[in-house]
Amino acid sequence: MTMPTPRERIIVIGGGIQGCAAACFLAKRGQQVTLIEKDHIGRHASGVNAGGVRRLGRDPCEIPLSLAAMDIWTSLDDEIGGHADAFHPCFYLKVALDEAGHALGLARVDSLRQAGFRHEVWLEDSDIRSRLPHLSGRTFGGILVEGDGWAVPWRIVQGFARAAVRHGATLVEDCRVLDLKRDGEGWQVNSSKGTFAADQVVNCAGAWAAALARRAGEPALPLSPHAPMLAVTDRRPPILPAVMGVLGHTLSLKQLDTGQFVIGGGVRARADLDKNRGEVAIPELASSMRLATTLFADIASTQIIRCWSGIEGYMPDNLPVIGRGRQPGLVHGFGFSAHGFQLGPAVGEALADLVMGRQPRVSLEAFDPRRFESAA
Ligand SMILES: Cc1cc2nc3c(=O)[nH]c(=O)nc-3n(C[C@H](O)[C@H](O)[C@H](O)COP(=O)(O)OP(=O)(O)OC[C@H]3O[C@@H](n4cnc5c(N)ncnc54)[C@H](O)[C@@H]3O)c2cc1C
């Protein structure tokens, strides 16, 4: 006979993909969940990102989590219903444009094979050209991951939030958590809409999360806010059935169903957490555009119709913080360093496991918040 899981009052702070996915898994498992968001669901990085759903190029420590996330992406209908059509699996290709990129790519595929991972495969230029006949110049080969793709970010985040509500979670928007205090065995969460009591708190406050952790009595964590940037063009006939990057560069390039190209990637500008604002730095963004036009000369004749940025929290090792805090009943999930959208579904599941004292399906050791303590 299995014992029923005790029903606890859980407060999840942050209505991005991590918070919404965590709330969804917790509510689905019968916990009493309140999700608190200072603005509205998907207002920040999770709703405005490039939508890249990629396993390609992950830090080896992150690969098991990314593979687990992809299991959920491919059965998204089971988790969020209604919004699953917002995910478009295709293939992800990172090409080499010179000998250095060629060497980098081959070494990467080889080292992953030695570590037991086979999802990244090497393609020669002829195979790449047969998949992408509109490519402008020759490549020096590239890395392919079949089944990676792109999603419409705000729809996915909304999907997790709505699924959480369907499973019984309460959603409180326009509500800023101001302070967190231990209260007996649990927490008192003070917010702009009053005080909430909780047995456990999940901190998914994105770029704002380290400041909240401090308020809860946690050691300082080296989270830095930045504003990664994107641009979108006018509509053109379809020429790109994949998401693309360039080895040794941070470009991300895709063509939406509308025919518009979304161009950006790692280039970033300044973020202001107090003003809730990310800047756009056109010269840096222009470097991504140039790279995109090197791949497809047709992109040079498009019009950029909009540029934007989102506020994201970065860790010094570019790996997220996912784990229990020093304080009892506090779990962190933040610092996704501009690649946390694809991980979101598995992070939500893992956070729910941590809250409920279950063993997460992949090791979270590399993401332990304590990894920075000895360096401090
Ligand atoms: C332009 C851009 C492009 C990107 N492209 C990709 C990509 O292609 N693929 C990929 O995998 N990743 C990508 N990313 C990264 C990805 O978007 C993030 O890693 C991910 O969305 C982080 O999710 P989150 O839930 O941790 O943070 P967020 O989405 O920032 O959510 C945190 C939420 O917490 C709320 N909050 C903060 N403080 C409080 C408080 N005190 N009280 C209540 N609420 C609070 C915030 O308002 C916010 O809504 C990109 C990011 C950007 C900005």
Side-chain angles (χ1 to χ4, degrees):
M1 194 177 88
T2 50
M3 296 294 288
T5 313
R7 187 172 155 82
E8 289 206 314
R9 294 164 306 166
I10 320 287
I11 290 201
V12 178
I13 305 172
I17 188 151
Q18 322 301 349
C20 293
C24 177
F25 281 100
L26 283 162
K28 191 176 172 186
R29 296 176 187 177
Q31 301 302 305
Q32 189 184 320
V33 181
T34 305
L35 172 61
I36 300 181
E37 163 56 48
K38 70 177 167 56
D39 298 310
H40 54 261
I41 296 297
R43 159 71 176 79
H44 291 287
S46 298
V48 302
N49 65 53
V53 178
R54 68 166 172 88
R55 289 159 290 182
L56 199 162
R58 296 266 163 197
D59 186 298
C61 302
E62 232 176 41
I63 292 175
L65 189 64
S66 180
L67 298 180
M70 195 51 98
D71 284 350
I72 305 177
W73 278 100
T74 50
S75 58
L76 213 51
D77 223 13
D78 298 345
E79 296 305 336
I80 64 172
H83 293 261
D85 64 331
F87 172 44
H88 302 259
C90 45
F91 60 97
Y92 211 116
L93 195 52
K94 244 185 165 186
V95 295
L97 292 182
D98 51 25
E99 292 289 356
H102 178 259
L104 196 68
L106 279 180
R108 161 93 185 168
V109 171
D110 189 45
S111 76
L112 286 194
R113 276 190 175 247
Q114 286 180 30
F117 298 118
R118 296 184 172 270
H119 58 291
E120 295 193 11
V121 295
W122 183 255
L123 282 193
E124 296 300 339
D125 181 58
S126 54
D127 297 322
I128 291 173
R129 302 187 140 279
S130 65
R131 282 175 177 256
L132 299 173
H134 293 275
L135 261 185
S136 297
R138 74 172 277 245
T139 70
F140 286 69
I143 303 178
L144 166 86
V145 175
E146 205 73 72
D148 279 2
W150 58 274
V152 183
W154 67 268
R155 282 196 58 208
I156 297 292
V157 187
Q158 286 290 338
F160 275 107
R162 286 180 193 187
V165 170
R166 274 201 305 280
H167 292 303
T170 303
L171 187 58
V172 190
E173 293 176 283
D174 290 318
C175 177
R176 181 185 288 269
V177 172
L178 304 168
D179 208 4
L180 294 158
K181 283 194 176 64
R182 288 291 294 158
D183 183 14
E185 294 290 292
W187 287 93
Q188 183 182 307
V189 178
N190 299 318
S191 81
S192 54
K193 288 191 173 170
T195 300
F196 297 80
D199 299 305
Q200 300 202 53
V201 172
V202 186
N203 174 14
C204 292
W208 296 262
L212 264 187
R214 284 300 269 170
R215 290 204 155 270
E218 292 283 274
L221 282 159
L223 178 74
S224 317
H226 296 284
M229 298 177 283
L230 289 170
V232 64
T233 70
D234 58 2
R235 296 164 185 238
R236 295 299 159 116
I239 58 167
L240 176 57
V243 185
M244 284 197 75
V246 175
L247 281 158
H249 297 265
T250 55
L251 175 75
S252 125
L253 170 67
K254 63 182 72 69
Q255 189 174 22
L256 305 177
D257 287 355
T258 54
Q260 296 167 284
F261 294 94
V262 178
I263 306 167
V267 283
R268 60 200 202 189
R270 278 193 319 182
D272 186 327
L273 294 183
D274 295 331
K275 293 192 178 133
N276 238 3
R277 246 193 64 207
E279 292 180 356
V280 175
I282 299 293
E284 282 78 5
L285 195 50
S287 66
S288 296
M289 319 294 250
R290 275 192 294 275
L291 208 49
T293 59
T294 305
L295 293 176
F296 296 95
D298 291 357
I299 293 179
S301 65
T302 61
Q303 292 286 322
I304 301 295
I305 59 165
R306 191 179 159 229
C307 305
W308 71 96
S309 67
I311 301 176
E312 170 73 327
Y314 290 73
M315 302 309 293
D317 56 6
N318 280 321
L319 291 175
V321 167
I322 309 170
R324 291 205 151 274
R326 285 271 174 215
Q327 300 290 332
L330 181 60
V331 173
H332 299 297
F334 62 82
F336 288 88
S337 312
H339 53 266
F341 180 61
Q342 187 269 348
L343 299 175
V347 173
E349 185 185 52
L351 291 170
D353 289 334
L354 290 173
V355 167
M356 297 176 70
R358 295 185 187 176
Q359 181 68 37
R361 67 161 130 161
V362 300
S363 167
L364 302 175
E365 204 186 324
F367 316 125
D368 193 330
R370 290 163 182 75
R371 71 187 187 273
F372 298 106
E373 285 181 17
S374 54

